[in-house]
Amino acid sequence: MKKALAFDIGGTKIYSTIIDETGKIVGEIDKFSTPKTLDGIKDILKTQVQKYEKEVDVIAIATAGAVNNENTAVIGSTGNLVEGYYTIEFPKLSAKRVFIENDANAAAWAEYKIGASRGTDVSVMLTLGTGVGGGIIINNKLLKGKSGAAGEMHFKMYPDKRRKCTCGSYDCFEIYASGTALKLDAEEALNDKNVTTYDVIDGVKNGDKKMIEILNRWQRDIMIGIKGLANLFDPDCVVLSGSMAQFVDVKKIEEEVNADIVTSPTSIRLATAGNYSGMIGAALLALAKEGV
Amino acid sequence: MKKALAFDIGGTKIYSTIIDETGKIVGEIDKFSTPKTLDGIKDILKTQVQKYEKEVDVIAIATAGAVNNENTAVIGSTGNLVEGYYTIEFPKLSAKRVFIENDANAAAWAEYKIGASRGTDVSVMLTLGTGVGGGIIINNKLLKGKSGAAGEMHFKMYPDKRRKCTCGSYDCFEIYASGTALKLDAEEALNDKNVTTYDVIDGVKNGDKKMIEILNRWQRDIMIGIKGLANLFDPDCVVLSGSMAQFVDVKKIEEEVNADIVTSPTSIRLATAGNYSGMIGAALLALAKEGV
């Protein structure tokens, strides 16, 4: 059976493991803190490649940042990674084929092949974490756009500049639907810079009405964003993944979205492909040569 | 050369003509007021089909409303047409093949084949008229979604219910970017229910500062919507068509969109395929059997 050496390169951690063509993890999970230097990142990649490349058919990398349509390079800067990250020449890491894809796209592909959106034609995945990632699949293809950067969840929630987004612009969905957004919602509601998302979640568990209100406002904004996406893409389902997805009332959002959708009712689901879905998706894309 | 008998069925007018496989109009343009009854609409279609079907290879219909993925039926209700419109069995109109497509999708296809988005891989078209239509083309295919209804420009401009949209929901892009929206902007700014879009346009021509402000607010909202679409689809271009497009400062919107885009710069263009682009696009889709 064919296998991939898979990486997940994020702002805080780099993971690597070996994954077979069915999406099964068949190696150890190696874990590193993401170095603050370009050479540090390259060293980890080189070391892991040297160690494992003989065992595999392809190197499959899920990475933060937009990836070009040739799946060979990161394009532009990525807020969470060291400056110049996009200069890494991934294909030179190994004599074997090196395939890279955006982490949210890769995770969406894993959900589509072995997870929550299996069997659908059109799906939208939202990764709700510190930020918000997006991966959209249309008839067995990832939506990539002209440069590879499509699926950015930076449509506007207000037109009149209220909250600055991490991207430098204002009022993007990301800054109302992420974990960071929940903290900002709480800061605004309580007029307290030190409140955390944990405070909100704990408060909700203890029945604190103010905290429930804050969580509801955050969920409303997620719902409003999904409603727009559902009207644009008419998807079979919207999959929610990432560390913040567990705090979302999926059934309630589904009801509210479908209450006044103009396309046709959609299904909202939690992701099921697990924490390593980025690596799994990248491996499946690289091994099957479909989807991109 | 192959030819289509083409129709454009809208809320106020029905047009028909004959179009060849290059997109050229080769017949008379017949024009009817859209009847208020189902039988009235059917009668026009039947009469025109009987008159012209011998001259053509296919019947190609651009229609208001969402069209199924088989291009045989309208799905659900369309606000602008008589109740029960979706019950029309279009394939029974002729022994020849009858192909139908949503009017905005068909017009987007005409722009892609012979107009402003020719030669692009990914394009978004917005039809700014009384309402707002959308047609999205990704790698030589119209974006249709699971049921055929994708491309609805009903993503939200505010999350907290300010302005009711014609779709029954609140704060959709359509109700901030349409001709109707410009009138509502003016009503709000001037506290005058009787102000018209013509008043605004005339005022702007005469240098009226208040009217310029109103037009600028409307243009800002269009720009904000396009920015979100550009981040989602990473398109080569966004094409503006419809009767209201002429009042948009395309260059200014392009600059503002690209000033803080997170994907990669896009081009904003006025449509060039003309007033009959819906019929042309439907004919080209029907004759070439591509795109859908």
Side-chain angles (χ1 to χ4, degrees):
Chain A
M1 193 175 291
K2 284 189 178 172
K3 283 180 289 193
L5 169 59
F7 289 90
D8 190 339
I9 307 176
T12 51
K13 296 270 181 263
I14 295 176
Y15 295 92
S16 90
T17 193
I18 295 174
I19 293 172
D20 74 17
E21 62 189 1
T22 70
K24 196 174 159 196
I25 295 172
V26 294
E28 298 284 305
I29 306 280
D30 292 335
K31 185 175 162 184
F32 310 87
S33 288
T34 306
K36 301 277 178 251
T37 66
L38 200 54
D39 282 341
I41 294 174
K42 284 184 192 169
D43 283 346
I44 289 173
L45 298 177
K46 280 179 196 163
T47 307
Q48 294 298 100
V49 166
Q50 277 170 17
K51 204 163 157 189
Y52 294 112
E53 68 181 336
K54 281 181 197 134
E55 300 177 33
V56 301
D57 302 276
V58 69
I59 320 295
I61 300 175
T63 177
V67 168
N68 66 358
N69 279 325
E70 295 72 35
N71 298 99
T72 55
V74 168
I75 47 174
S77 60
T78 63
N80 300 317
L81 283 163
V82 62
E83 212 179 313
Y85 177 66
Y86 67 90
T87 63
I88 296 179
E89 296 177 282
F90 291 97
K92 293 195 175 167
L93 285 173
S94 172
K96 295 199 167 151
R97 180 166 169 251
V98 179
F99 171 96
I100 73 173
E101 183 52 272
N102 168 264
D103 47 9
N105 279 352
W109 192 256
E111 294 299 332
Y112 169 62
K113 293 309 261 187
I114 65 163
S117 54
R118 190 155 52 161
T120 65
D121 294 321
V122 184
S123 64
V124 174
M125 197 180 79
L126 298 175
T127 308
L128 308 176
T130 310
V132 174
I136 297 155
I137 296 164
I138 300 167
N139 300 329
N140 211 42
K141 286 264 182 202
L142 279 164
L143 175 66
K144 296 277 289 175
K146 71 174 177 304
S147 69
E152 287 289 338
M153 294 297 153
H154 292 257
F155 51 91
K156 307 304 177 188
M157 296 293 283
Y158 294 93
D160 48 3
K161 296 196 179 179
R162 291 167 189 231
R163 191 183 276 183
K164 193 155 189 172
C165 183
T166 47
C167 75
S169 186
Y170 287 85
D171 296 318
C172 303
F173 178 62
E174 161 150 342
I175 204 64
Y176 289 90
S178 60
T180 306
L182 182 58
K183 178 176 160 53
L184 290 172
D185 289 345
E187 283 183 18
E188 283 174 21
L190 304 172
N191 200 16
D192 173 2
K193 280 268 169 204
N194 297 315
V195 64
T196 67
T197 54
Y198 301 102
D199 295 336
V200 179
I201 301 303
D202 276 356
V204 170
K205 278 180 189 156
N206 295 325
D208 182 324
K209 281 191 180 164
K210 196 78 196 162
M211 295 306 195
I212 293 171
E213 238 173 62
I214 291 165
L215 191 77
N216 281 344
R217 186 248 162 117
W218 177 73
Q219 291 203 74
R220 179 205 66 180
D221 287 349
I222 292 171
M223 185 276 290
I224 286 290
I226 292 176
K227 204 183 275 186
L229 292 167
N231 284 333
L232 272 173
F233 291 98
D234 186 16
D236 293 283
C237 69
V238 177
V239 179
L240 302 182
S241 72
S243 58
M244 295 301 293
Q246 60 183 305
F247 306 119
V248 175
D249 184 341
V250 169
K251 267 280 152 270
K252 189 179 163 204
I253 288 191
E254 183 179 293
E255 276 172 30
E256 290 179 1
V257 165
N258 289 335
D260 64 358
I261 202 163
V262 295
T263 49
S264 58
T266 192
S267 152
I268 319 288
R269 303 170 189 176
L270 286 176
T272 61
N275 288 336
Y276 303 117
S277 59
M279 288 195 284
I280 293 169
L284 292 173
L285 286 163
L287 288 166
K289 295 186 180 176
E290 59 169 352
V292 288
Chain B
M1 194 174 293
K2 283 190 178 172
K3 285 180 287 192
L5 169 59
F7 289 91
D8 190 339
I9 307 175
T12 50
K13 295 272 181 261
I14 296 176
Y15 295 92
S16 89
T17 192
I18 294 173
I19 293 172
D20 74 18
E21 63 190 1
T22 71
K24 197 175 158 196
I25 294 172
V26 294
E28 297 284 305
I29 306 279
D30 292 335
K31 186 175 162 184
F32 310 86
S33 287
T34 306
K36 301 277 178 250
T37 66
L38 200 54
D39 281 341
I41 294 175
K42 284 184 194 171
D43 283 346
I44 290 173
L45 298 177
K46 280 180 197 163
T47 306
Q48 294 298 100
V49 166
Q50 277 170 16
K51 202 163 159 190
Y52 295 112
E53 69 182 335
K54 279 181 198 135
E55 300 178 32
V56 300
D57 302 276
V58 68
I59 319 296
I61 300 175
T63 176
V67 168
N68 66 358
N69 279 323
E70 294 73 34
N71 298 100
T72 55
V74 169
I75 48 175
S77 58
T78 63
N80 300 319
L81 283 164
V82 62
E83 212 179 314
Y85 177 67
Y86 68 90
T87 62
I88 296 180
E89 294 176 284
F90 291 97
K92 293 193 177 167
L93 285 172
S94 172
K96 295 200 166 150
R97 181 167 169 249
V98 179
F99 171 96
I100 73 172
E101 184 52 272
N102 167 266
D103 47 9
N105 280 351
W109 192 257
E111 294 299 331
Y112 169 63
K113 294 310 260 187
I114 65 162
S117 54
R118 191 156 52 161
T120 65
D121 293 321
V122 183
S123 63
V124 174
M125 197 181 79
L126 298 175
T127 308
L128 308 176
T130 311
V132 174
I136 297 154
I137 295 165
I138 300 167
N139 300 329
N140 212 42
K141 286 263 181 201
L142 279 165
L143 175 67
K144 295 276 290 177
K146 69 173 178 302
S147 67
E152 288 288 340
M153 294 298 155
H154 292 257
F155 51 91
K156 307 305 175 187
M157 296 292 283
Y158 294 93
D160 48 3
K161 296 194 178 179
R162 291 168 189 230
R163 191 183 276 183
K164 193 155 189 174
C165 182
T166 47
C167 74
S169 186
Y170 286 85
D171 296 317
C172 303
F173 178 63
E174 161 150 342
I175 203 64
Y176 288 90
S178 59
T180 308
L182 181 59
K183 178 176 159 56
L184 289 173
D185 289 345
E187 284 184 17
E188 283 173 21
L190 304 172
N191 200 16
D192 174 3
K193 281 268 170 204
N194 298 315
V195 64
T196 67
T197 55
Y198 301 101
D199 296 334
V200 179
I201 300 303
D202 276 356
V204 169
K205 277 179 190 158
N206 296 324
D208 182 324
K209 281 192 180 165
K210 196 77 195 163
M211 295 305 193
I212 293 171
E213 237 173 64
I214 291 165
L215 190 78
N216 282 344
R217 186 248 163 116
W218 177 72
Q219 290 203 74
R220 179 205 67 181
D221 288 349
I222 292 171
M223 185 276 290
I224 286 288
I226 291 176
K227 204 183 274 185
L229 292 168
N231 284 333
L232 271 175
F233 290 99
D234 186 18
D236 294 282
C237 68
V238 177
V239 179
L240 302 183
S241 73
S243 58
M244 296 300 294
Q246 61 183 306
F247 306 119
V248 174
D249 184 341
V250 168
K251 267 280 152 269
K252 190 180 164 204
I253 287 191
E254 183 178 294
E255 277 172 30
E256 290 179 0
V257 165
N258 289 334
D260 64 358
I261 201 163
V262 295
T263 49
S264 58
T266 192
S267 153
I268 319 287
R269 304 170 189 176
L270 287 178
T272 62
N275 288 336
Y276 304 117
S277 59
M279 287 194 284
I280 294 169
L284 291 173
L285 285 164
L287 288 166
K289 296 187 179 177
E290 59 170 352
V292 288

